[in-house]
Amino acid sequence: MTSSPSDPVAILQAAFRSAIASTLGDAYREVDPLIKPSGKPEFGDFQANAAMGLAKKIGTNPRKLAEQIMQAADPLLEAIAEPLEVAGPGFINITLKSEALVEMLKGMDDESLGVITDSDPHPIVIDMCSVNVAKQMHVGHLRSTIIGDALARIFERLGRTVIKQNHLGDWGLPIAMVLHHLRESGQNLDDLDLDDLNHAYRQAQLETKADVRGLAAALEMNAGPHRIVELEEQAAGAQKALEDSKALLVELQQGDPGLLADWHKLIDCTMRSVYESLALLDVTLGPEHNCGESFYRDRLPDVIDAFTRFGLAEEDHGALVVKFDDRDRPLIIRKSDGGFLYSTTDLAAVKYRAGELGADRVIYVVDARQRDHFRDVFDAAHLIGWDQTEDGAPVELNHIAFGSVLGPDKRPLKTRSGKNITLNSLLTEAIKRGTSEVRKRAADPAAPTHGLTREELGTIGKAVGIGAIKYADLSNDLARDYIFNFDRMIAFEGNTGPYLQYAHARVCSIFAKSGLALSDIEGADLILAEPAERQLTLLLLRYGSIITDVGRTLEPHRLCTYLYEMADTFSAFYQQCPVLKAPDDALRKSRLRLCDLVRRVIADGLGLLGIDAPRQM
RNA sequence: GCCCCGGUAGCUCAGCUGGAUAGAGCAGCGGUCUUCUAAACCGCAGGUCGCAGGUUCGAGUCCUGCCCGGGGCGCCA
């Protein structure tokens, strides 16, 4: 990672590193000087906070140490910073010279926008969406898709090769159950629609689950003989349906041609609807990204062999398990009936992604309920050494354990009638709401959108509606559950997608009204006299490091917070610094150039979140 | 029973490897449109950071215990 001349933090870090080393000796060359944007403008632009921690470690006076470091750093920064100051218990406050800020701003004023790319040739695999065939895509898959897509865009922006994979649930017992049910009921699989599939899924669930537990409870609670017999018959029926489904799964897994053909029909039916939703979301994820459970079916025996060969698996009650030193829970990799499980598949997937695809990072965007599972799988992969590429690079396995989407009652989101809300209906509703907001505004003759066609307004409305959903999903800490609230997410006030889109449109509008072309301001002098101009500049200069941070932490909400702050800071600038009505031409061009940078940063940032930024709204 | 995640203003949430007086947005109150998009901006008010200990110059942040909410826990995925 090189340091960009446009990133003040990187420049200050380098200077303070050597200042610390020359104060305390070479042993301290690698300590982080803890450069942070200053909390308050009166403390300057940045602060170095390392002196206090170091003083504690060494056992010296923090303020005194800060002064020593400051004296060493001062000459190094003479060209770009005002004289440094020590404040409080040992903060070193830094104010940059305006000329230096101008140079840094020019440094980011190209396509990069200050984002430093990484040329590591290993791809990054992102496991996202993960629909279950035989089940309609619902809000649960929304987050996985939106988050995965945003991360994919961010890593591509950082210069990495990204392989998106849709790890379809297409090979387990549930799909066998549905297939069994459809065959039993004589359904014609050629004109199967999603409702048939959903119905079949639910019926199959009922058939096989009704209801061994009920029987056990009835026995335990000394229910009457009639009730027992009734439940026993039901349970026997369930057992039979389940046995049949299991048998069908075995046939399927052995490659029975007729069954395979039916299986494909089922998948096609589900995926047609999935692709519709993905198109509405503007997420590029097609058949070429499908790499589901069935893909690994021939690789499962090898997983068992390898774990057995390395002595990492042992038999327990007939099943084959991997045990860990630090937890009671084992990972079952083969059932006592010889069948494989999703843990077997997931281990095969780790091996494939790291070993064959050569990925040095695999990101699983799967909901938080699978935390324990992935912890076990990752640890098992580590035990056997599959978490490295063939060229020896260590592989980072990350599970993005995102929270649930809840309804207003804080229970998993359902319709009033208690059904799961389908993703398609949700997206359609969002687009409808977005469009109606945009139309409402366009009805005003003074609105810039007034003359637009119905179609143009529809395009903007879609961007607003979908953007609102995506932003609501990405702007919170992913680990939290979040309450789905259309009214809040589509509001134009506060930290929402539409607010940012609006801020972007306003900047565009200034430029459009200026009557100038981009080429007119390209080399314009930048004049940073007003505090608002400085604040805007300091924020613009942070863009690159924010993107790097998101790549490191996998926390897209940091980008959201940044963009919101950008819109806010721009508003302050906009209020305090006339652009088109600036007192002279030089200032006008300087401010337009600042506006242009703001516009590009917001558009780029929203783009990384998968959100469109219309030029008008 | 064990494990994991969360608990910050009335509501929804930020708070970056411990740093200066804990920040936003909604909602509430009060201002700002002949002025570059008022879908905006400015101001006021609002806090025992779940509770109790501990670590230290300094804790929302780290450690221990407890409370509340959610999730998970051997042959479903």
Side-chain angles (χ1 to χ4, degrees):
Chain A
M1 185 85 55
T2 56
S3 76
S4 155
S6 73
D7 182 1
V9 173
I11 295 167
L12 294 171
Q13 254 166 4
F16 273 89
R17 274 224 168 83
S18 52
I20 290 170
S22 69
T23 307
L24 294 174
D26 266 350
Y28 291 86
R29 187 156 288 281
E30 291 309 313
V31 303
D32 187 339
L34 298 174
I35 308 292
K36 295 180 182 189
S38 169
K40 301 214 162 172
E42 56 264 37
F43 296 142
D45 299 331
F46 295 92
Q47 51 184 263
N49 293 345
M52 294 170 285
L54 284 171
K56 183 196 264 185
K57 212 172 284 174
I58 300 163
T60 178
N61 179 295
R63 224 187 129 95
K64 214 165 143 191
L65 179 62
E67 267 156 29
Q68 288 172 334
I69 293 172
M70 180 189 79
Q71 273 158 24
D74 230 345
L76 301 174
L77 293 168
E78 210 173 11
I80 63 165
E82 306 292 346
L84 305 173
E85 284 170 18
V86 171
F91 299 99
I92 301 173
N93 289 338
I94 307 152
T95 302
L96 294 177
K97 291 182 176 169
S98 289
E99 309 89 79
L101 287 177
V102 166
E103 286 312 305
M104 293 178 203
L105 209 47
K106 284 181 185 164
M108 77 172 279
D109 190 2
D110 53 36
E111 289 204 344
S112 78
L113 291 173
V115 177
I116 299 162
T117 55
D118 175 350
S119 54
D120 191 313
H122 297 99
I124 293 175
V125 168
I126 301 185
D127 180 325
M128 56 184 278
C129 188
S130 309
V131 291
N132 296 315
V133 172
K135 245 177 131 175
Q136 177 146 333
M137 197 177 181
H138 60 89
V139 283
H141 301 111
L142 180 70
R143 299 204 78 185
S144 174
T145 304
I146 290 174
I147 296 163
D149 184 55
L151 292 176
R153 290 169 191 259
I154 286 161
F155 280 114
E156 278 167 1
R157 184 73 171 77
L158 287 167
R160 299 294 303 262
T161 303
V162 173
I163 301 175
K164 295 191 270 194
Q165 293 193 327
N166 195 346
H167 191 83
L168 302 177
D170 62 1
W171 201 241
L173 190 58
I175 196 164
M177 280 159 50
V178 173
L179 212 47
H180 173 252
H181 178 85
L182 287 170
R183 292 191 139 207
E184 288 288 296
S185 62
Q187 176 92 35
N188 179 359
L189 296 181
D190 288 314
D191 51 70
L192 197 65
D193 67 24
L194 210 58
D195 286 336
D196 299 329
L197 218 57
N198 286 329
H199 182 72
Y201 180 79
R202 216 163 295 133
Q203 285 304 118
Q205 290 282 326
L206 289 175
E207 272 174 19
T208 51
K209 283 198 175 156
D211 173 15
V212 190
R213 254 185 231 166
L215 177 59
L219 286 169
E220 205 168 303
M221 296 178 70
N222 297 314
H226 279 100
R227 181 70 184 135
I228 298 286
V229 170
E230 187 179 74
L231 283 167
E232 269 172 354
E233 278 173 5
Q234 263 185 33
Q239 282 304 316
K240 182 170 186 313
L242 195 60
E243 289 311 315
D244 288 351
S245 297
K246 282 185 179 175
L248 185 142
L249 181 62
V250 172
E251 275 180 75
L252 179 66
Q253 294 186 341
Q254 284 166 353
D256 179 273
L259 266 177
L260 272 173
D262 287 353
W263 174 73
H264 274 295
K265 288 173 191 168
L266 223 138
I267 290 173
D268 287 345
C269 174
T270 304
M271 293 314 285
R272 273 196 299 275
S273 149
V274 169
Y275 294 138
E276 275 173 35
S277 293
L278 292 173
L280 290 177
L281 277 172
D282 280 325
V283 170
T284 310
L285 196 71
E288 68 275 24
H289 300 104
N290 288 347
C291 191
E293 291 167 352
S294 61
F295 174 85
Y296 299 101
R297 62 197 188 214
D298 299 330
R299 300 166 188 258
L300 302 182
D302 290 344
V303 172
I304 304 301
D305 285 352
F307 273 88
T308 308
R309 206 167 55 243
F310 281 84
L312 293 166
E314 56 189 87
E315 290 237 348
D316 192 344
H317 296 82
L320 197 67
V321 305
V322 179
K323 289 189 173 173
F324 304 100
D325 293 337
D326 62 343
R327 74 205 74 153
D328 296 333
R329 175 185 70 235
L331 181 68
I332 302 178
I333 58 174
R334 193 184 62 205
K335 295 190 278 187
S336 51
D337 68 1
F340 305 120
L341 304 95
Y342 74 140
S343 50
T344 330
T345 307
D346 281 334
L347 283 167
V350 171
K351 188 168 191 284
Y352 171 70
R353 289 160 170 175
E356 288 184 52
L357 297 178
D360 71 343
R361 192 167 189 179
V362 185
I363 299 169
Y364 292 79
V365 191
V366 182
D367 75 83
R369 286 174 302 187
Q370 310 233 11
R371 233 184 209 118
D372 291 346
H373 168 67
F374 280 115
R375 186 171 172 223
D376 294 346
V377 168
F378 294 170
D379 286 350
H382 181 69
L383 283 177
I384 204 165
W386 287 349
D387 55 349
Q388 57 180 335
T389 60
E390 283 193 350
D391 55 9
V395 177
E396 219 180 316
L397 301 170
N398 300 128
H399 175 215
I400 310 263
F402 60 82
S404 309
V405 182
L406 307 178
D409 56 355
K410 301 202 174 183
R411 304 294 312 160
L413 192 62
K414 306 268 179 184
T415 61
R416 280 205 193 84
S417 58
K419 286 188 192 165
N420 284 327
I421 292 175
T422 66
L423 190 47
N424 255 306
S425 65
L426 198 76
L427 297 178
T428 308
E429 171 77 8
I431 292 169
K432 204 178 91 191
R433 284 182 183 238
T435 306
S436 100
E437 290 292 333
V438 170
R439 284 217 193 105
K440 205 194 296 169
R441 169 69 174 162
D444 178 356
T449 47
H450 188 62
L452 297 185
T453 65
R454 204 183 160 76
E455 202 181 0
E456 286 167 324
L457 292 178
T459 304
I460 298 169
K462 184 192 168 198
V464 170
I466 297 295
I469 287 198
K470 288 190 179 180
Y471 194 84
D473 213 313
L474 294 167
S475 58
N476 286 349
D477 183 356
L478 298 177
R480 297 178 88 105
D481 292 347
Y482 84 95
I483 296 171
F484 192 92
N485 181 333
F486 261 127
D487 292 331
R488 185 179 292 137
M489 66 176 68
I490 217 151
F492 290 76
E493 304 91 33
N495 190 6
T496 68
Y499 172 81
L500 290 180
Q501 288 171 319
Y502 177 62
H504 172 263
R506 288 170 89 192
V507 189
C508 289
S509 169
I510 293 173
F511 210 86
K513 281 208 173 157
S514 72
L516 294 175
L518 271 179
S519 55
D520 293 325
I521 57 156
E522 209 160 311
D525 283 337
L526 287 160
I527 303 159
L528 304 179
E530 293 293 321
E533 291 168 318
R534 279 183 70 86
Q535 290 308 313
L536 198 56
T537 299
L538 288 167
L539 199 54
L540 283 167
L541 291 174
R542 277 171 54 193
Y543 185 62
S545 66
I546 291 288
I547 303 305
T548 304
D549 280 354
V550 174
R552 181 174 49 83
T553 62
L554 307 179
E555 292 177 350
H557 78 277
R558 292 186 191 218
L559 175 55
C560 298
T561 304
Y562 170 84
L563 292 174
Y564 181 64
E565 215 176 314
M566 175 60 74
D568 204 41
T569 306
F570 176 76
S571 287
F573 161 81
Y574 180 81
Q575 214 70 22
Q576 288 158 37
C577 303
V579 178
L580 299 180
K581 293 171 183 170
D584 60 74
D585 196 53
L587 198 55
R588 188 161 169 257
K589 282 190 173 164
S590 164
R591 287 179 179 169
L592 269 171
R593 193 173 169 189
L594 279 177
C595 286
D596 183 54
L597 277 163
V598 170
R599 176 186 67 78
R600 281 152 57 203
V601 164
I602 296 180
D604 193 68
L606 285 176
L608 295 182
L609 300 172
I611 297 173
D612 276 341
R615 303 189 73 92
Q616 291 178 305
M617 60 187 283

